[in-house]
């Protein structure tokens, strides 16, 4: 439904609770974005105070905060005002913008093969 052109260089809404811009309809307070990024390309996604995010690297390499995530890695973000993503090489990502559960703590959870570890790292407490 969403061409490479629609997803190249920007976050394209592919699923939402209201079907905006022809996206798939979800019955949850969630926005799912897809993006294809060129090497060195930088994106910022703002999160409202009650929102959290999960980013999954489908292919490629991106930097999120000070972490380098590669194909198959994912990271959860809560308690932040925005997410800053920079592609290290041609990359495809999915970003889920969701309602944060409870009081947010600034954390980043990693899943996948980030240095062979699966873990949780607390960035700062509110």
């Amino acid at each position: 439904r969403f061409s490479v052109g629609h997803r190249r260089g920007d976050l394209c809404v592919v699923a939402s609770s209201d079907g905006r811009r022809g996206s798939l309809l979800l019955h949850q307070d969630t926005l799912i974005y897809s993006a294809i990024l060129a090497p060195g390309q930088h994106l910022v996604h703002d999160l409202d105070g009650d929102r959290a995010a999960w980013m999954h690297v489908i292919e490629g390499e991106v930097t999120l905060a000070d972490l380098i995530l590669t194909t198959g890695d994912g990271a959860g973000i809560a308690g932040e005002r925005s997410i800053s993503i920079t592609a290290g090489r041609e990359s495809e990502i999915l970003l889920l913008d969701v309602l944060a559960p409870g009081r947010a703590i600034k954390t980043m959870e990693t899943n996948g093969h980030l240095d062979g570890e699966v873990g949780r790292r607390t960035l700062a407490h509110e």
Side-chain angles (χ1 to χ4, degrees):
R1 283 180 111 160
F2 301 95
S3 70
V4 170
H6 282 105
R7 297 178 297 127
R8 186 167 299 284
D10 202 6
L11 292 169
C12 174
V13 177
V14 296
S16 65
S17 60
D18 57 7
R20 68 184 72 175
R21 297 184 213 147
S23 63
L24 300 171
L25 184 61
L26 299 174
H27 296 287
Q28 298 209 27
D29 186 2
T30 301
L31 291 165
I32 301 177
Y33 297 90
S34 175
I36 298 173
L37 306 174
Q41 186 166 17
H42 179 75
L43 290 178
V44 174
H45 177 72
D46 293 326
L47 291 172
D48 291 333
D50 62 346
R51 307 297 291 179
W54 176 264
M55 189 186 74
H56 180 76
V57 181
I58 295 173
E59 188 164 335
E61 178 184 288
V62 299
T63 301
L64 176 68
D66 62 346
L67 293 176
I68 296 174
L69 305 172
T70 60
T71 302
D73 287 340
I77 302 99
E80 298 291 335
R81 292 184 184 188
S82 64
I83 301 166
S84 178
I85 304 161
T86 304
R89 61 178 190 251
E90 181 83 14
S91 300
E92 183 175 1
I93 63 167
L94 283 179
L95 179 69
L96 284 71
D97 182 320
V98 299
L99 190 59
R103 182 172 171 263
I105 297 174
K106 294 180 181 179
T107 64
M108 183 171 295
E109 295 182 21
T110 59
N111 178 15
H113 56 274
L114 180 66
D115 295 331
E117 295 180 18
V118 174
R120 179 179 180 132
R121 189 176 84 172
T122 301
L123 300 176
H125 292 279
E126 289 187 321

